[in-house]
Amino acid sequence: MNIYVGNIPYAATETDLEELFEEYGRVAKTTIIRDRDDGRSKGFGFVEMENQEDGEQAIEALEGKKMMGRPLKVNPARPREQRRERQQFTTSGRTDRNSSDPSNGKTFHNPYTFIPTPPRPAHGFAGDFNPLDKGLDHESLKEGLWTGHIPIKLTTVTPLVLLKDEDGSKGKSTKHQKYDVLDYIPESSLRGMLRSAYEVVTNSRYGCFGNDDKLAYRMDARKAVELIPAIIEDGGEGNLTARLYTGTSTPTAKGPEDGGGKRGPMYAAMLTLYHAYPTTCHGGIPKTGEEVKAEIVRRRHRRGYSFWKAIQVCPSNKSLTPSGANNARFITGRVLITNENMRGKHDERIFFNPTADPLPLTKSVQEAWRMRIKSYREAHSDSEIWRSGAARDKPWKNIGSTPGKTAWSPHQYQDSKHKEIWLTDPHGRKSTHDAIQLKPGDMVYAHCKFDKGKIVVKDLFPVMISRELYKASPKELLCQSLWPAKQISELSPADRLFGWVLQENRDEEKTSENADANSSNDPEMQDQDRRIPKSYKSRIRIVCDDGSRPEIIQRFEGGGSLPLTILGQPKPAQGRFYVAKDGTPQNKVDKTNAGYELNKNKSLRGRKQYWHHSGLEAEGSTDKQDQCYWQPSVEDRTFQKRKGRYQEYRRPNKFNRENQRYEPQTDPQNRSINGWIKPGEVFKASLYVQNLQPQEVGALLWLLTRPDKHYFRLGYGKPLGFGSVRIELDCPNGVLPLGKGEDWKEYYTALNQSSPATLNADEQKDCVQKFRDSMMTGYALKEDMHAEKGKEEKFKSLDFIAGFLRVLKGPGDNAPIHYPRLEYPNRGDYKPNPEGKNFEWFVANDDNRGGKKLALPAVTEEKGLPYYPPQR
């Protein structure tokens, strides 16, 4: 039923309208009519209810009811003529029929980008070697190697946020977290920032890399008909099997078939529990896994396929009275309830008619199940799945029609951490194990392979429209020369300087578990294993010279705390953002082919880095507009432009219908802070180094002498623009207190010098040039220019150096930097959305009916992304 709603408050959103009407039934769609020129609400709109009776009830209840202080006008919408296809409008309001960009040129920059990581050379400074073989140890000071310290100075150019975690609650997400901030820079934070930068400019191995498992993407809904219901059984001797439940159809590679090769009804029977004439359930709605009796009738869907529909159900120990329906039959089966996990869902399923013999499950199928469930859970935060608040917010409850408000599928929340909660699910499964562990009794859907009459289980899914695994894991697309080192002879430049600890690999653990028991108990082998180095101590120690300085903290005007925007979770399953082909972004490629697979010149995009938010530097600024953007206030200024930008770092207030006022959004998804370190504050630190090669000294000096307007990123909230800092050497006379081993020997022998020989300006240039030459030689760049400027420009042509410098400077235009969000062309300016919902942009971008399928631009070709990715 379509309903007209008038006198809508201009501040109200479609979501506000949807939540108001959802109290009376399912809402299919809400629309607020907006001005084509500026996108502002015209004060009226339409609500489409799925059920006529619910719509009439809503009209009666809401007519004249106040919303944000204004009485609504609510009545049935009058029929209207078919409108012409919506035209596109430019920002001036004039029609532009030939425009190919519905966003009218308005773009934003994603907060992160990727710096390329080409395959690494095998030898030389840029390659790998055992540092102990070259005297790079910690026992004594070596001739020709540099020891001493490098004094540096850091200046904040945007507010710096370093969270104080006094109660150990950092990282927990069961409630909203409010933090005070540190008034000093922890040495571990500075060390982490410098190591990350050093890894990039030396193209070292990844310090850690945990994406060993395959990731998953949403499968094509049309494939659901091929899946066969199955229940897991114990196959003996630690093995599992799957017994198929085929209903009245014969399984084939094309789906269910009837006699004579005709298309048969779907394998499972439909059990209607939500909307649209619910099934009669005698004895209450059954639980997952419960055996029931059902009376079913055959129906045909308007799209051509047929299915069995249960018209009444009861426990298996009771009897059903025939309803008298034509062609009805009675079955005994088991119920699977996956909750009202999608908009418009009506039915659950009854598995019936099991096959005589179960099918064996290979270890690879079971491992794929674990990776699939893990990928499901990593796609959402705990705070999204485990809603806080009243009982209605339990994850199995449907509290709305949009993603996140529909019910979650059981495999999302039936984990080991929250067992005491999900065991109260009234229709949940009887078993109590974590859903990531495949166990006897689990009800699943099997994708089978058919070969000469033989059926083999190829894959298992928790729901019919599930996630498919990519063909390869992220690690398999990463060149092995970039994998974390497994032995001391594989240490890359960053490992050799900042230290290394062997990462225990899960595959290696499995291998060791399956190793021969006699070999593992061999004393000689155990002794040999102990002699193999599994770590290497750092040759750089970072000491911050400043202690606690309360005066550097800027508290917010009026007191209180500032609710920050929700920080996005990593989404490596978005292959279009994370995967390159032939080293370039994959534009206009569907998500399946843009994903992780081998032997198609696929590779990872590189190391993730966060942009400096150029144009918002507040250090030493006299521009009041600059100061206004970072104004230390808890006031919601998200809809006020400052320096051409909206306040992207603050989460916008949301209207509370009960209190009839706008209130800050503080929930488990975001954090609040009580202050920040002011822009313009200066910190001093020293890098104490031992036995450094000239190339290592040169790499550090190159990093620490970047020109003006090159900023490193430090602390919390980097995607929001916090933590941009400028780093420079702190040696007024231009001489660094570094000496070679022989200089220190002379100093300690004579004990009549104030300090050993120091690294002067010419020696510094020589170290930097040796670093550049080593990198250009390692990556086959021949030096054919003799001028110093020419050498530097040649070095900057290395793709990872060029990308690093671009990130330090920022995108270079005045376009805003924030996570993707969907905005429509006729809504005018692109303001922050109180709802967040950045997933809507990805859905629209992937849409097979018109999505542009845009990839994240290359770091050196960053031109932004449109707010409206569908190509109209």
Side-chain angles (χ1 to χ4, degrees):
M1 178 181 186
N2 201 16
I3 302 170
Y4 167 83
V5 186
N7 205 32
I8 299 173
Y10 294 112
T13 66
E14 279 85 352
T15 302
D16 294 328
L17 204 59
E18 180 179 347
E19 290 178 350
L20 181 65
F21 276 78
E22 274 184 342
E23 296 180 13
Y24 305 95
R26 293 280 295 181
V27 175
K29 184 179 180 182
T30 59
T31 305
I32 292 179
I33 305 303
R34 299 178 183 275
D35 189 277
R36 287 178 170 176
D37 290 348
D38 58 19
R40 295 180 180 177
S41 167
K42 288 189 174 183
F44 70 94
F46 299 90
V47 176
E48 186 177 335
M49 303 285 286
E50 291 187 355
N51 185 283
Q52 177 80 16
E53 184 178 339
D54 292 341
E56 292 173 354
Q57 183 182 356
I59 292 173
E60 182 179 352
L62 296 177
E63 168 61 27
K65 182 175 180 178
K66 288 187 176 181
M67 181 183 189
M68 303 183 191
R70 301 186 66 174
L72 297 176
K73 296 179 180 179
V74 185
N75 49 63
R78 288 183 242 166
R80 57 182 178 177
E81 296 179 355
Q82 187 70 27
R83 293 186 176 183
R84 292 179 300 170
E85 184 177 351
R86 186 170 64 184
Q87 296 175 325
Q88 300 167 3
F89 289 82
T90 63
T91 51
S92 64
R94 294 173 298 180
T95 304
D96 183 5
R97 297 178 184 272
N98 298 320
S99 171
S100 61
D101 180 12
S103 296
N104 298 316
K106 297 284 188 178
T107 60
F108 67 93
H109 299 288
N110 193 56
Y112 62 82
T113 184
F114 294 95
I115 295 180
T117 50
R120 300 178 55 251
H123 307 290
F125 171 78
D128 300 334
F129 59 79
N130 183 342
L132 300 178
D133 292 343
K134 296 185 180 291
L136 306 181
D137 57 36
H138 311 82
E139 297 176 358
S140 60
L141 306 185
K142 300 295 194 298
E143 291 186 10
L145 301 180
W146 295 93
T147 298
H149 77 279
I150 304 174
I152 62 173
K153 180 171 67 174
L154 293 84
T155 306
T156 57
V157 298
T158 64
L160 175 60
V161 178
L162 300 163
L163 301 181
K164 184 185 293 185
D165 186 26
E166 294 178 340
D167 60 358
S169 63
K170 186 176 178 181
K172 297 179 181 178
S173 54
T174 55
K175 61 180 181 179
H176 181 76
Q177 297 176 41
K178 187 182 297 182
Y179 291 107
D180 201 356
V181 291
L182 297 175
D183 54 12
Y184 63 93
I185 296 180
E187 290 158 356
S188 58
S189 298
L190 182 54
R191 179 186 177 85
M193 181 189 74
L194 290 175
R195 171 159 188 158
S196 174
Y198 193 90
E199 281 186 4
V200 173
V201 301
T202 58
N203 195 37
S204 292
R205 291 179 179 272
Y206 283 75
C208 59
F209 194 90
N211 295 106
D212 298 353
D213 289 337
K214 295 178 181 178
L215 303 175
Y217 62 95
R218 186 176 176 85
M219 71 189 307
D220 188 333
R222 291 171 295 185
K223 291 186 178 181
V225 69
E226 301 173 10
L227 303 184
I228 306 173
I231 296 181
I232 304 302
E233 296 181 357
D234 186 352
E237 299 182 356
N239 298 314
L240 296 177
T241 59
R243 189 178 298 275
L244 304 183
Y245 284 68
T246 58
T248 60
S249 296
T250 300
T252 71
K254 296 180 179 179
E257 285 192 0
D258 229 336
K262 296 181 180 179
R263 188 173 183 179
M266 296 180 69
Y267 301 111
M270 303 287 192
L271 175 65
T272 305
L273 298 180
Y274 320 112
H275 325 292
Y277 311 106
T279 304
T280 301
C281 294
H282 304 285
I285 297 176
K287 291 174 70 74
T288 286
E290 184 175 339
E291 189 175 71
V292 297
K293 291 179 180 177
E295 183 181 15
I296 60 175
V297 292
R298 189 166 176 173
R299 295 280 188 265
R300 180 167 293 278
H301 195 273
R302 63 179 182 275
R303 293 183 180 176
Y305 64 87
S306 63
F307 57 93
W308 290 104
K309 180 179 181 63
I311 55 177
Q312 56 174 336
V313 174
C314 74
S316 59
N317 59 357
K318 296 189 177 183
S319 300
L320 287 174
T321 302
S323 65
N326 292 332
N327 301 317
R329 65 169 64 187
F330 289 86
I331 61 169
T332 298
R334 295 192 179 275
V335 173
L336 173 62
I337 294 181
T338 57
N339 300 327
E340 198 176 352
N341 51 14
M342 60 184 294
R343 183 172 181 166
K345 179 176 178 178
H346 299 147
D347 305 287
E348 297 293 359
R349 300 291 188 271
I350 301 175
F351 293 8
F352 69 103
N353 191 21
T355 55
D357 299 314
L359 302 177
L361 297 180
T362 64
K363 296 297 181 183
S364 62
V365 169
Q366 297 176 52
E367 177 65 4
W369 172 271
R370 183 193 65 79
M371 289 189 284
R372 178 171 287 107
I373 303 303
K374 180 185 175 186
S375 180
Y376 261 108
R377 293 176 181 175
E378 289 179 345
H380 303 281
S381 64
D382 268 9
S383 59
E384 290 178 284
I385 299 173
W386 293 96
R387 306 153 173 163
S388 59
R392 73 182 185 91
D393 290 330
K394 292 294 187 294
W396 52 84
K397 294 285 188 179
N398 182 301
I399 58 175
S401 60
T402 56
K405 291 189 175 182
T406 55
W408 293 96
S409 300
H411 60 273
Q412 292 273 36
Y413 58 80
Q414 289 180 345
D415 58 20
S416 56
K417 292 188 298 183
H418 303 90
K419 185 182 296 186
E420 72 283 357
I421 303 177
W422 58 260
L423 282 176
T424 64
D425 181 352
H427 305 298
R429 60 182 185 172
K430 298 176 182 178
S431 52
T432 60
H433 61 272
D434 190 320
I436 204 169
Q437 303 167 347
L438 202 61
K439 297 285 185 181
D442 286 348
M443 302 183 71
V444 299
Y445 291 93
H447 182 207
C448 295
K449 181 171 62 175
F450 298 83
D451 184 18
K452 298 178 181 179
K454 185 179 179 181
I455 303 178
V456 177
V457 176
K458 186 179 178 182
D459 221 340
L460 297 175
F461 298 91
V463 289
M464 286 195 72
I465 303 176
S466 184
R467 289 174 176 255
E468 289 197 87
L469 293 176
Y470 287 113
K471 296 178 181 178
S473 69
K475 190 172 183 179
E476 290 176 294
L477 266 64
L478 182 66
C479 177
Q480 290 193 24
S481 65
L482 289 153
W483 287 10
K486 294 183 178 180
Q487 52 192 6
I488 197 168
S489 61
E490 295 179 348
L491 298 197
S492 62
D495 302 316
R496 300 192 298 262
L497 179 59
F498 285 87
W500 164 79
V501 176
L502 177 65
Q503 288 188 50
E504 295 295 339
N505 185 282
R506 185 175 62 251
D507 292 335
E508 292 173 352
E509 291 174 0
K510 289 178 181 177
T511 303
S512 64
E513 288 173 4
N514 297 328
D516 180 70
N518 295 327
S519 298
S520 64
N521 294 325
D522 187 336
E524 184 176 343
M525 292 190 66
Q526 291 179 355
D527 185 58
Q528 181 181 353
D529 184 62
R530 281 193 293 268
R531 291 197 301 268
I532 297 175
K534 294 187 177 181
S535 64
Y536 176 75
K537 185 179 178 181
S538 169
R539 288 179 292 119
I540 182 171
R541 181 168 59 92
I542 298 174
V543 176
C544 293
D545 300 341
D546 304 285
S548 176
R549 296 159 57 194
E551 71 278 4
I552 67 176
I553 299 297
Q554 177 75 65
R555 301 295 176 184
F556 301 125
E557 298 169 2
S561 56
L562 179 74
L564 298 178
T565 297
I566 301 171
L567 291 178
Q569 277 191 283
K571 293 181 172 57
Q574 275 289 341
R576 194 174 288 110
F577 270 37
Y578 281 74
V579 180
K581 184 174 183 179
D582 298 317
T584 60
Q586 301 180 87
N587 283 301
K588 300 180 180 179
V589 180
D590 66 74
K591 62 184 178 183
T592 302
N593 292 318
Y596 301 82
E597 54 184 329
L598 300 174
N599 304 322
K600 289 195 175 182
N601 296 325
K602 295 286 190 74
S603 62
L604 297 187
R605 294 284 297 273
R607 288 182 171 88
K608 179 186 285 188
Q609 298 284 302
Y610 290 98
W611 290 107
H612 163 65
H613 290 217
S614 51
L616 296 180
E617 301 86 2
E619 174 216 11
S621 172
T622 58
D623 186 346
K624 292 183 179 180
Q625 294 285 54
D626 261 333
Q627 300 298 336
C628 283
Y629 185 83
W630 296 112
Q631 181 180 341
S633 169
V634 298
E635 176 191 6
D636 182 3
R637 294 177 289 108
T638 54
F639 289 85
Q640 303 172 25
K641 268 193 174 180
R642 293 292 184 269
K643 201 172 175 61
R645 309 277 188 93
Y646 288 108
Q647 189 188 23
E648 297 287 353
Y649 59 88
R650 190 195 193 280
R651 193 176 184 188
N653 289 346
K654 186 178 180 182
F655 191 79
N656 186 320
R657 294 205 316 271
E658 295 180 3
N659 299 330
Q660 290 293 296
R661 65 184 180 188
Y662 282 92
E663 295 178 346
Q665 292 193 82
T666 54
D667 56 42
Q669 296 186 69
N670 72 325
R671 308 288 183 264
S672 292
I673 55 174
N674 294 333
W676 57 45
I677 295 176
K678 294 178 286 188
E681 294 297 332
V682 177
F683 299 85
K684 294 189 176 184
S686 293
L687 313 183
Y688 288 89
V689 299
Q690 179 180 342
N691 287 338
L692 262 59
Q693 294 176 301
Q695 296 94 326
E696 294 173 315
V697 175
L700 287 173
L701 293 180
W702 187 88
L703 271 177
L704 301 172
T705 54
R706 292 303 84 219
D708 287 344
K709 298 184 179 179
H710 287 71
Y711 306 107
F712 291 76
R713 311 302 309 284
L714 177 66
Y716 182 80
K718 291 185 281 290
L720 310 180
F722 294 112
S724 288
V725 298
R726 190 175 72 250
I727 302 181
E728 53 194 322
L729 295 176
D730 187 25
C731 46
N733 62 358
V735 178
L736 291 173
L738 285 173
K740 293 182 180 179
E742 55 267 32
D743 300 324
W744 284 101
K745 181 179 180 180
E746 181 180 348
Y747 167 71
Y748 284 117
T749 300
L751 291 179
N752 59 4
Q753 301 180 50
S754 59
S755 65
T758 53
L759 188 70
N760 61 38
D762 289 338
E763 290 172 318
Q764 292 175 35
K765 289 181 180 178
D766 182 63
C767 287
V768 171
Q769 187 55 43
K770 285 181 177 177
F771 161 62
R772 293 188 305 209
D773 289 345
S774 296
M775 297 304 294
M776 288 188 289
T777 299
Y779 291 91
L781 273 182
K782 295 182 179 179
E783 182 56 66
D784 55 4
M785 292 176 283
H786 300 289
E788 187 65 27
K789 182 179 178 181
K791 292 179 181 179
E792 175 71 3
E793 293 306 312
K794 188 76 171 179
F795 172 67
K796 290 179 181 177
S797 68
L798 290 168
D799 52 4
F800 51 91
I801 298 296
F804 178 72
L805 293 173
R806 183 68 188 275
V807 166
L808 294 189
K809 293 182 70 174
D813 58 19
N814 202 42
I817 299 176
H818 54 71
Y819 288 106
R821 61 172 178 256
L822 185 65
E823 295 287 353
Y824 295 93
N826 66 337
R827 292 189 182 174
D829 223 341
Y830 301 97
K831 305 177 179 68
N833 187 336
E835 299 296 327
K837 297 184 178 181
N838 63 41
F839 65 87
E840 292 183 338
W841 188 93
F842 289 101
V843 171
N845 188 43
D846 283 335
D847 192 348
N848 289 326
R849 296 168 295 179
K852 287 184 177 179
K853 299 177 174 58
L854 296 172
L856 192 67
V859 60
T860 53
E861 300 174 1
E862 175 65 34
K863 296 180 181 178
L865 295 164
Y867 281 94
Y868 189 70
Q871 179 71 55
R872 299 184 68 89

